[in-house]
Structures are given as structure tokens and as C-alpha cells.
Amino acid sequence: QMNINTERISVFIMANSEDFNNLTVGKLKPYIDASGLTTGTRLVELKFADLEGIEILDNPILNVTISEIILGNELVNQSGYNTP
């Protein structure tokens, strides 16, 4: 489980006016790559899909808290306790 603690973000985008006017959050497909992260509060980069004609000038950094991680069939919580 991951909670995003950053309330507001700004994304700077470079595109021609037609591409920019047709851009939506759904097309950007924002995501966080949480692979390799452990429980606790972390700073992570918000990433976006590669779109032709759209350039993200600076990916925002988010403050997130990871409270649980599911590894295979095991759940790891903040205390490090594993449950099958």
C-alpha cells in the first residue's frame, strides 16, 4: 500500500499547440515505479508514458509512504512482519 503525501504537483510540458490542447492525464499515464522500494517514507519520481510530440521537461518528485509490500504470497508491513 502506498500513500502519496504530496498534495500538489506541477508538470512542465513542451509540445506544439495542437498536441498540447489534445493532451489529457489519461494520455500521459502517470505512474510510480515502486520496484525495489521498502516500507517507509520515500521520495520517488513521477513518470509518464512516452508520447510522440510531447516532452516532459522535469519529472516531479513525490513524497510517498509505503506501509505494506506484497512479495509473492507474503505481505510485509512497516514493522517488517511477514505473513503468508
Side-chain angles (χ1 to χ4, degrees):
Q1 180 179 359
M2 181 185 307
N3 294 315
I4 298 173
N5 304 321
T6 304
E7 292 184 25
R8 185 177 271 255
I9 64 165
S10 296
V11 179
F12 296 97
I13 298 171
M14 186 164 54
N16 68 38
S17 60
E18 182 179 345
D19 288 337
F20 185 79
N21 290 336
N22 291 320
L23 190 60
T24 64
V25 172
K27 290 179 182 176
L28 284 173
K29 298 180 183 174
Y31 68 97
I32 295 170
D33 181 3
S35 60
L37 296 178
T38 57
T39 57
T41 300
R42 308 276 178 257
L43 295 177
V44 296
E45 182 178 31
L46 183 63
K47 299 181 178 187
F48 301 92
D50 290 327
L51 295 172
E52 188 175 329
I54 303 294
E55 184 179 351
I56 306 297
L57 299 179
D58 192 19
N59 287 29
I61 302 297
L62 303 179
N63 179 299
V64 300
T65 300
I66 301 169
S67 57
E68 297 176 333
I69 300 173
I70 298 174
L71 302 171
N73 293 330
E74 292 187 348
L75 174 68
V76 180
N77 62 23
Q78 283 182 320
S79 65
Y81 178 72
N82 291 348
T83 48

